[in-house]
Amino acid sequence: MALLSPRAVLVRRETELDRVRASHASLASARFVLERRGISLEDVEAAHRDVAEVVRQVRAAIPPDWRQAGISRAEVERFVFGPEDIVLAVGPDGLVANVAKYLDGQVVIGVDPQPGRNAGVLVRFTARDAGEALRAAAAGAIPLEQRVMAEARMDDGESLLALNEIFVGHRSHQSARYTIAAHGMRERQSSSGLIVATGTGATGWAASILRASGRRMDLPPTLPRLGFLVREAWPGPATGAELVAGLVEDDPLLVTSEMDEGGTIFADGIESDRLGFGWGRQVRIAPAARRLRLAVPG
C-alpha cells in the first residue's frame, strides 16, 4: 500500500478586517464605527491585504504533490489533525500557542506575516522560507525545539493543555479561595488567582507578575519545569500569603477549590475553553508528557 503524501495544514489568524466583516452588516457601518474610534478602514483593509498576500505565498510554496488544508484559528478545535500533518501557523506567536494543545507530535512551522510587528519567538520563518522548511520537515531534517507544555488534570480525569500558562481562579477575576499544596507545604489562600507558566510563557503574563514582585525564575522552555505565581494573595485570619511562588518539576502542584461557583481553569488566555472549578474539586498541574515540536531555522 502506498504511503500518504504529507499534508500541509495552513492555520491563519483572523485579521481585523475579518472581525469587522463578522460583526457589521456592511463595510459602510464598519467604517462609521471604526472612524469613531480613530481607526481608518483603509488601514485595516491594507493590513488584511498584506496578510492575505503572505498566505498566498505560503500556499504557493507547498509542494504540488502534497495534500493541503487551510483553517482559521476559530476552526482549530474542530479540526482533526493527522499524524503525517505538518502545520504552518501564519500569524503572531500567540497563534502557535492556540494550535499547540490540539497537536500530538506534528511539526509546527511558525510563519511571521508581519516581521517587525511580532516578537517572533515562535514564528521564526518568513513566507519565502516556507517551501524549504516544509521539505526539510518532511525529510526529518529540520531542527526542532521540544517545547514543554503544562497539563491541568482534574480529579475526574478532565484535562487541559497549555503552551504558555494555565490560570486557576474565579471567572469574574474577583477573589478566589482555594488551598494550594507544593514542596511539602499547604496553605489556604484568597487571591486574584494563580498562573502556572511554562518556559515559553515565562516571557508573557508571567514576566509581568515577576517584574511586579521582583522575583526571578529559571524556566528554560525545553526543560520539564513550570513556575507557579499567585496574584495578590491576601493574608487574613484564615488565609496565608507565604506559598506564592515556586517551581513545579517532579511533583505536581495541587489546588483544591473553595469557591461555591465561578471557579475556572483556562489555558493560554482562552477563557472560552475552560474547566469548571467548583467547591471541593481538585486539580493537579505538572509538565505534560506531550511536547510542542517547533521548527526553527537551521
Side-chain angles (χ1 to χ4, degrees), residues 4-85:
L4 287 174
S5 62
R7 181 173 67 166
V9 179
L10 192 155
V11 185
R12 72 175 186 90
R13 182 176 176 176
E14 300 83 352
T15 65
E16 188 63 34
L17 184 61
D18 291 328
R19 291 188 284 273
V20 165
R21 285 172 171 166
S23 57
H24 296 281
S26 67
L27 285 181
S29 62
R31 182 188 299 275
F32 175 76
V33 172
L34 290 173
E35 288 181 349
R36 289 189 63 183
R37 298 173 182 169
I39 302 172
S40 164
L41 178 59
E42 285 71 23
D43 290 344
V44 170
E45 290 176 322
H48 177 85
R49 286 194 297 270
D50 290 344
V51 172
E53 174 58 21
V54 171
V55 170
R56 185 198 68 77
Q57 292 175 18
V58 173
R59 282 191 181 280
I62 298 172
D65 58 332
W66 285 28
R67 296 169 299 135
Q68 59 177 277
I71 57 175
S72 68
R73 179 179 62 172
E75 298 170 312
V76 169
E77 62 184 284
R78 300 187 298 276
F79 187 80
V80 179
F81 290 93
E84 76 287 350
D85 289 346

Side-chain angles (χ1 to χ4, degrees), residues 136-295:
I142 198 166
L144 297 175
E145 285 183 356
Q146 302 279 351
R147 293 215 163 211
V148 171
M149 301 180 71
E151 181 181 33
R153 183 165 292 277
M154 304 294 292
D155 45 9
D156 64 359
E158 285 187 286
S159 65
L160 192 64
L161 291 171
L163 180 62
N164 287 327
E165 71 279 310
I166 289 170
F167 172 82
V168 182
H170 197 280
R171 192 165 61 242
S172 68
H173 297 281
Q174 69 186 48
S175 181
R177 287 183 173 268
Y178 53 86
T179 299
I180 185 172
H183 308 309
M185 300 173 61
R186 186 178 181 87
E187 186 173 71
R188 293 184 71 237
Q189 292 183 346
S190 176
S191 76
S192 298
L194 63 99
I195 69 165
V196 186
T198 66
T200 301
T203 61
W205 192 358
S208 64
I209 299 175
L210 288 168
R211 282 195 298 270
S213 64
R215 297 179 183 276
R216 301 185 68 179
M217 278 189 174
D218 183 22
L219 288 175
T222 58
L223 288 185
R225 180 186 301 164
L226 310 175
F228 72 88
L229 294 160
V230 177
R231 304 166 64 224
E232 303 166 323
W234 174 255
T239 57
E242 297 298 321
L243 191 56
V244 295
L247 297 177
V248 181
E249 297 183 87
D250 297 329
D251 296 319
L253 180 75
L254 177 64
V255 186
T256 305
S257 176
E258 295 184 12
M259 292 172 277
D260 291 333
E261 59 182 22
T264 189
I265 300 171
F266 61 80
D268 295 334
I270 307 298
E271 297 190 37
S272 59
D273 183 12
R274 63 184 182 84
L275 301 173
F277 195 49
W279 191 91
R281 298 200 70 183
Q282 291 186 332
V283 63
R284 294 175 180 270
I285 305 174
R290 196 178 300 181
R291 299 286 189 270
L292 168 66
R293 302 179 72 212
L294 180 70

Side-chain angles (χ1 to χ4, degrees), residues 94-105:
L95 180 62
V96 176
N98 296 155
V99 174
K101 62 185 175 182
Y102 299 104
L103 303 178
D104 190 4

